Protein backbone atom coordinates (compact mmCIF):
# COMPACT_ATOMS: atom_id res chain seq x y z
CA UNK A 1 0.00 0.00 0.00
CA UNK A 2 2.88 2.39 -0.65
CA UNK A 3 0.71 4.24 -3.18
CA UNK A 4 -1.72 5.23 -0.40
CA UNK A 5 1.16 6.65 1.63
CA UNK A 6 2.39 8.59 -1.38
CA UNK A 7 -1.12 9.98 -1.96
CA UNK A 8 -1.29 11.15 1.67
CA UNK A 9 2.07 12.91 1.40
CA UNK A 10 0.98 14.56 -1.86
CA UNK A 11 -2.32 15.68 -0.33
CA UNK A 12 -0.58 17.15 2.71
CA UNK A 13 1.88 18.94 0.44
CA UNK A 14 -1.06 20.29 -1.57
CA UNK A 15 -2.54 21.68 1.64
CA UNK A 16 0.78 23.31 2.42
CA UNK A 17 0.84 21.80 5.90
CA UNK A 18 3.06 19.18 7.48
CA UNK A 19 0.34 17.13 9.16
CA UNK A 20 -3.37 16.50 8.84
CA UNK A 21 -3.90 17.85 12.35
CA UNK A 22 -2.21 21.14 11.47
CA UNK A 23 -4.20 21.42 8.25
CA UNK A 24 -7.51 20.99 10.06
CA UNK A 25 -6.66 23.14 13.08
CA UNK A 26 -7.20 26.55 11.48
CA UNK A 27 -9.27 25.84 8.39
CA UNK A 28 -11.95 28.39 7.50
CA UNK A 29 -14.51 28.60 4.74
CA UNK A 30 -12.60 31.52 3.26
CA UNK A 31 -9.35 29.54 3.27
CA UNK A 32 -11.03 26.55 1.62
CA UNK A 33 -12.60 28.90 -0.92
CA UNK A 34 -9.22 30.42 -1.79
CA UNK A 35 -7.61 27.00 -2.09
CA UNK A 36 -10.43 25.73 -4.32
CA UNK A 37 -10.13 28.80 -6.52
CA UNK A 38 -6.36 28.33 -6.85
CA UNK A 39 -6.84 24.62 -7.53
CA UNK A 40 -9.36 25.32 -10.33
CA UNK A 41 -7.21 28.08 -11.87
CA UNK A 42 -4.09 25.89 -11.90
CA UNK A 43 -6.00 23.27 -13.89
CA UNK A 44 -7.95 25.70 -16.09
CA UNK A 45 -11.21 24.28 -14.72
CA UNK A 46 -12.92 27.62 -14.10
CA UNK A 47 -14.72 27.39 -17.44
CA UNK A 48 -16.49 24.26 -16.15
CA UNK A 49 -17.47 25.69 -12.76
CA UNK A 50 -20.82 27.18 -13.61
CA UNK A 51 -23.38 27.15 -10.80
CA UNK A 52 -25.41 24.47 -12.62
CA UNK A 53 -22.42 22.19 -13.16
CA UNK A 54 -21.27 22.58 -9.57
CA UNK A 55 -24.75 21.86 -8.24
CA UNK A 56 -25.07 18.71 -10.33
CA UNK A 57 -21.61 17.55 -9.25
CA UNK A 58 -22.54 18.18 -5.60
CA UNK A 59 -25.78 16.20 -5.99
CA UNK A 60 -23.72 13.33 -7.40
CA UNK A 61 -21.46 13.48 -4.35
CA UNK A 62 -24.49 13.50 -2.03
CA UNK A 63 -25.55 10.29 -3.80
CA UNK A 64 -22.14 8.75 -3.11
CA UNK A 65 -22.43 9.84 0.52
CA UNK A 66 -25.88 8.27 0.74
CA UNK A 67 -24.54 4.95 -0.52
CA UNK A 68 -22.32 4.70 2.55
CA UNK A 69 -25.41 4.63 4.78
CA UNK A 70 -27.49 2.38 2.54
CA UNK A 71 -28.60 -0.84 4.24
CA UNK A 72 -26.97 0.07 7.56
CA UNK A 73 -30.21 0.88 9.37
CA UNK A 74 -30.06 3.67 11.92
CA UNK A 75 -26.49 4.80 12.51
CA UNK A 76 -25.63 6.15 15.94
CA UNK A 77 -23.45 9.19 16.64
CA UNK A 78 -19.81 8.41 16.03
CA UNK A 79 -20.65 5.56 13.64
CA UNK A 80 -19.87 2.78 16.12
CA UNK A 81 -19.15 -0.51 14.45
CA UNK A 82 -17.83 1.12 11.29
CA UNK A 83 -14.37 0.04 10.20
CA UNK A 84 -11.66 2.70 10.02
CA UNK A 85 -11.61 2.52 6.22
CA UNK A 86 -15.38 3.16 6.16
CA UNK A 87 -14.97 6.23 8.37
CA UNK A 88 -12.16 7.49 6.17
CA UNK A 89 -14.35 7.03 3.09
CA UNK A 90 -17.16 8.86 4.91
CA UNK A 91 -14.81 11.78 5.55
CA UNK A 92 -13.86 11.87 1.89
CA UNK A 93 -17.46 11.94 0.70
CA UNK A 94 -18.47 14.57 3.28
CA UNK A 95 -15.50 16.65 2.13
CA UNK A 96 -16.52 16.34 -1.53
CA UNK A 97 -19.98 17.68 -0.68
CA UNK A 98 -18.54 20.51 1.42
CA UNK A 99 -16.02 21.55 -1.20
CA UNK A 100 -18.60 21.62 -3.99
CA UNK A 101 -20.93 23.61 -1.74
CA UNK A 102 -18.23 26.18 -1.02
CA UNK A 103 -17.31 26.46 -4.70
CA UNK A 104 -20.99 26.78 -5.67
CA UNK A 105 -21.55 29.54 -3.13
CA UNK A 106 -18.52 31.40 -4.49
CA UNK A 107 -19.72 31.11 -8.07
CA UNK A 108 -23.10 32.46 -6.96
CA UNK A 109 -21.57 35.35 -5.02
CA UNK A 110 -22.82 34.14 -1.65
CA UNK A 111 -20.71 34.45 1.50
CA UNK A 112 -21.52 31.01 2.87
CA UNK A 113 -20.23 31.69 6.39
CA UNK A 114 -22.28 34.87 6.71
CA UNK A 115 -25.37 33.23 5.19
CA UNK A 116 -25.07 30.27 7.58
CA UNK A 117 -24.81 32.53 10.63
CA UNK A 118 -27.84 34.53 9.50
CA UNK A 119 -29.78 31.30 8.93
CA UNK A 120 -29.00 30.09 12.47
CA UNK A 121 -30.43 33.36 13.83
CA UNK A 122 -33.56 33.01 11.65
CA UNK A 123 -34.01 29.41 12.81
CA UNK A 124 -33.68 30.48 16.45
CA UNK A 125 -36.53 32.94 15.95
CA UNK A 126 -38.63 30.46 13.98
CA UNK A 127 -37.99 27.59 16.41
CA UNK A 128 -37.44 29.12 19.85
CA UNK A 129 -36.02 26.92 22.58
CA UNK A 130 -38.61 25.84 25.15
CA UNK A 131 -38.66 28.12 28.14
CA UNK A 132 -37.19 26.64 31.28
CA UNK A 133 -39.61 27.07 34.16
CA UNK A 134 -38.22 26.66 37.64
Amino acid sequence: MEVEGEKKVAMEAELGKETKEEAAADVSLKDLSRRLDDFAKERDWEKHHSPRNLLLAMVGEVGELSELFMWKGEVQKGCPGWEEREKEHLGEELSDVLLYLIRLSDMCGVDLGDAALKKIVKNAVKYPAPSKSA
Side-chain angles (χ1 to χ4, degrees):
M1 283 284 178
E2 186 58 29
V3 172
E4 289 301 315
E6 291 171 10
K7 285 183 183 177
K8 182 178 179 183
V9 170
M11 286 173 28
E12 288 170 354
E14 183 75 33
L15 288 171
K17 303 281 186 172
E18 291 186 18
T19 67
K20 186 167 77 171
E21 290 77 23
E22 285 180 33
D26 297 340
V27 72
S28 71
L29 292 176
K30 291 193 185 312
D31 185 45
L32 289 172
S33 173
R34 182 185 49 78
R35 290 176 188 219
L36 286 169
D37 190 52
D38 291 346
F39 190 88
K41 284 178 182 173
E42 289 169 359
R43 289 153 182 81
D44 194 29
W45 287 356
E46 291 179 294
K47 61 188 169 214
H48 305 293
H49 287 187
S50 68
R52 176 190 172 277
N53 287 348
L54 291 166
L55 174 62
L56 293 175
M58 185 177 70
V59 167
E61 294 299 339
V62 168
E64 291 180 23
L65 177 60
S66 299
E67 287 178 351
L68 300 181
F69 289 87
M70 194 181 317
W71 316 123
K72 289 199 178 276
E74 189 58 44
V75 176
Q76 300 302 313
K77 181 178 180 178
C79 301
W82 285 39
E83 295 178 17
E84 192 55 39
R85 66 177 174 75
E86 289 177 302
K87 287 186 177 183
E88 184 175 340
H89 191 186
L90 174 61
E92 291 170 356
E93 297 305 335
L94 287 166
S95 296
D96 285 340
V97 173
L98 174 65
L99 295 174
Y100 274 120
L101 180 62
I102 291 169
R103 189 72 172 150
L104 174 60
S105 69
D106 286 346
M107 294 300 103
C108 291
V110 172
D111 180 328
L112 190 57
D114 184 56
L117 290 173
K118 287 177 179 175
K119 183 63 176 178
I120 290 170
V121 170
K122 281 185 176 183
N123 284 344
V125 171
K126 187 174 182 179
Y127 306 105
S131 59
K132 296 180 182 177
S133 301

